[in-house]
Amino acid sequence: MLMVDIIRKKRDGNALSKEEIDFFINGYVKGEIPDYQVSALMMAVFFKGMNDEETHLLTDAMLHSGEVLDLSAISGFKVDKHSTGGVGDKTSLVLTPMVASLGVPVAKMSGRGLGHTGGTIDKLESFKGFSTSITNEQFINNVNTIGIAIMGQTKDLAPADKLLYALRDVTATVDNMSLIASSIMSKKLAAGADGIVLDVKSGSGAFMKTDEDAFELAKKMVSIGKQAGVRTMAVISDMDQPLGRNVGNAMEVTEAIDTLRGKGPEDLKELCLTLGSYMVYFAGKAGSTKEARSLLEDSLSSGKALDKLAQFIEAQGGSGEDVYHPENLPQAKEKTDLTADDDCYVSSIMSEEVGIASLLLGGGRRSKEDVIDLSVGIHLDKKVGDKCQKGETVATLYGNDKKKMEDAFERLRGAYSFSKDPVEAGKLIKGIVE
Ligand code: URA
């Protein structure tokens, strides 16, 4: 079989067979097929697409390109959660202790941030001493004893996706539905969960810019999960403005803690309760999602979920006390306010621009090697639909470097649009695919 024939076949709009997909994935992982040929194939897929069968075959080939985790040493039904990525998305920090506090085992692989989106591991490292570099034995032991553990993605898990994702990132071929669906689902299925709850973001700050595309991606991923015998559902949620009010690592942790204390923003709480109720229901800890939601609300109001976060931080090297004293987390030294020029309403906040402003402050990475400043970030005092009076603070930047703050300020100013007339924010939960 020749790679050039596979590229030509896709270029001409034909469906690839299992043998052809296995050939290029195996050859690429072994280093036998060069980047330039795989780039050409990715571009052909970008323009010609893949049908459902090809998408399933690609997922399967990537899933079996490395180790498939065996979580059978963990008792109970393991439910994983994945978000397609957004700005201010600290959902995992709230959701995982919440569901773990109800006895749902959480054995999660998380990633770091790149570009304008953040990553759970970076955020968790705001707790001094906290580490996700734990052994598989420690990981399994922590889940069995305290009900929760998070580790970084091992290099052996779906290595084909790791290679392909890095290549797609630099060849403008990320935002293809089949490539995204197979990339996410191959990793999730290799991570060994019994159930998967997906948060598919839709809007300006997401890969899927329209609800129609977000629903299509959700359906593809749910179908892949089901075919693999894993209970899977997806929530389609709004990313036309950042989630919650804080963007930036330690600031997002603080907001997650506030939410676990019952004092967080409504949108974040609602999304966590929606995703969490499916996780608890799938795990058999409630007879319906309605019952699961009420159990989760109790775990928030009783402080059980907050205590679970403290146990988890302590078990992975941090100090549980910091959960009760978030003022111990890294804090930036300077702040600048963005204020309203006139009386107005906020009509939109471009999430991606807010994410870039946080990156410019030093809170994100341009390349994998960058060291990030965990203390910096942005607080959105006003969100879409909020009324502002002339001179009132719209958003606050927290930073440590005047020049970086000036650059970020300009970007943040450009992210906001205003209107003289009242504006209604879009719905947070746009739909559910089961
Ligand atoms: N996240 C992934 O893991 N893969 C993609 O292709 C896009 C988002």
Side-chain angles (χ1 to χ4, degrees):
M1 203 176 286
L2 291 177
M3 184 63 183
V4 68
D5 292 333
I6 298 176
I7 299 170
R8 188 180 299 110
K9 189 171 177 186
K10 184 44 73 186
R11 183 201 68 187
D12 294 343
N14 298 307
L16 302 181
S17 66
K18 173 170 167 43
E19 290 68 32
E20 287 160 339
I21 289 175
D22 287 347
F23 174 82
F24 102 76
I25 287 293
N26 292 334
Y28 191 40
V29 171
K30 285 189 196 144
E32 292 165 1
I33 300 175
D35 280 350
Y36 55 83
Q37 283 193 307
V38 180
S39 306
L41 180 62
M42 290 298 103
M43 194 54 89
V45 171
F46 182 85
F47 282 114
K48 299 292 176 173
M50 277 185 151
N51 63 30
D52 283 350
E53 196 189 342
E54 288 174 286
T55 310
H56 283 265
L57 291 169
L58 178 61
T59 310
D60 204 49
M62 293 206 291
L63 153 65
H64 291 108
S65 66
E67 180 190 16
V68 177
L69 282 194
D70 177 8
L71 299 184
S72 55
I74 298 173
S75 40
F77 192 94
K78 279 87 55 191
V79 194
D80 203 349
K81 171 256 170 189
H82 186 82
S83 151
T84 57
V87 177
D89 187 4
K90 66 284 289 174
T91 313
S92 291
L93 301 174
V94 183
L95 190 59
T96 50
M98 228 162 83
V99 300
S101 74
L102 296 181
V104 178
V106 174
K108 191 162 167 43
M109 303 270 158
S110 288
R112 294 191 181 275
L114 188 62
H116 74 280
T117 59
T120 301
I121 294 186
D122 295 324
K123 293 172 198 178
L124 284 168
E125 284 176 356
S126 302
F127 291 101
K128 195 158 173 266
F130 181 92
S131 171
T132 49
S133 303
I134 53 175
T135 61
N136 283 358
E137 292 74 52
Q138 238 177 316
F139 180 71
I140 288 175
N141 187 45
N142 285 5
V143 183
N144 278 334
T145 50
I146 63 161
I148 177 169
I150 295 186
M151 71 192 286
Q153 207 120 9
T154 67
K155 66 177 186 339
D156 303 324
L157 203 88
D161 174 62
K162 214 159 275 158
L163 290 171
L164 269 188
Y165 193 73
L167 189 73
R168 287 165 56 216
D169 202 25
V170 293
T171 54
T173 51
V174 170
D175 38 357
N176 169 272
M177 201 99 59
S178 292
L179 296 179
I180 295 179
S182 55
S183 162
I184 292 175
M185 291 307 288
S186 62
K187 282 182 288 228
K188 288 288 114 178
L189 294 172
D194 304 309
I196 301 174
V197 168
L198 299 160
D199 179 11
V200 179
K201 304 283 189 195
S202 167
S204 68
F207 285 120
M208 297 297 118
K209 305 289 179 209
T210 65
D211 291 353
E212 199 186 341
D213 283 352
F215 271 95
E216 200 182 324
L217 176 63
K219 282 184 196 148
K220 274 192 198 303
M221 292 199 288
V222 169
S223 147
I224 293 171
K226 286 202 169 149
Q227 204 166 64
V230 174
R231 198 158 183 197
T232 309
M233 64 81 64
V235 172
I236 289 85
S237 72
D238 182 51
M239 196 23 76
D240 253 339
Q241 62 174 333
L243 185 67
R245 289 188 184 270
N246 283 4
V247 177
N249 297 284
M251 287 177 62
E252 291 191 36
V253 173
T254 303
E255 188 166 63
I257 291 173
D258 284 347
T259 307
L260 289 167
R261 281 168 156 171
K263 293 187 291 184
E266 239 352 270
D267 58 348
L268 176 60
K269 179 178 165 196
E270 179 55 35
L271 183 58
C272 291
L273 285 172
T274 306
L275 293 164
S277 53
Y278 277 91
M279 292 175 82
V280 172
Y281 172 58
F282 276 10
K285 299 285 177 192
S288 65
T289 51
K290 196 163 167 242
E291 188 196 337
R293 189 182 168 103
S294 123
L295 293 173
L296 288 166
E297 280 169 338
D298 290 347
S299 109
L300 282 179
S301 57
S302 64
K304 255 170 56 181
L306 186 71
D307 294 344
K308 188 53 75 181
L309 177 66
Q311 267 181 12
F312 159 57
I313 297 300
E314 191 88 32
Q316 292 195 210
S319 159
E321 266 307 293
D322 291 349
V323 167
Y324 305 101
H325 294 282
E327 66 277 8
N328 293 346
L329 299 176
Q331 311 270 340
K333 290 195 220 55
E334 311 278 341
K335 79 181 190 87
T336 310
D337 290 342
L338 173 71
T339 54
D341 292 338
D342 270 308
D343 291 354
C344 57
Y345 294 86
V346 177
S347 57
S348 73
I349 309 174
M350 283 157 66
S351 312
E352 195 166 340
E353 292 300 301
V354 178
I356 293 172
S358 173
L359 174 84
L360 292 173
L361 285 170
R365 288 187 189 82
R366 290 164 214 253
S367 73
K368 278 193 201 139
E369 294 71 35
D370 281 356
V371 175
I372 58 178
D373 184 342
L374 296 166
S375 69
V376 302
I378 295 157
H379 178 76
L380 306 170
D381 299 79
K382 300 285 182 187
K383 292 196 68 182
V384 174
D386 287 349
K387 193 173 179 182
C388 320
Q389 280 173 346
K390 185 175 173 175
E392 205 180 350
T393 301
V394 171
T396 315
L397 273 129
Y398 293 87
N400 293 311
D401 178 308
K402 281 231 148 48
K403 174 74 182 75
K404 287 183 183 168
M405 288 177 80
E406 278 164 24
D407 293 345
F409 185 86
E410 285 315 312
R411 209 76 196 218
L412 184 64
R413 196 213 303 267
Y416 269 89
S417 299
F418 301 97
S419 148
K420 281 273 158 223
D421 302 314
V423 177
E424 215 173 294
K427 256 171 81 172
L428 172 70
I429 309 287
K430 291 162 183 278
I432 291 198
V433 174
E434 281 190 73

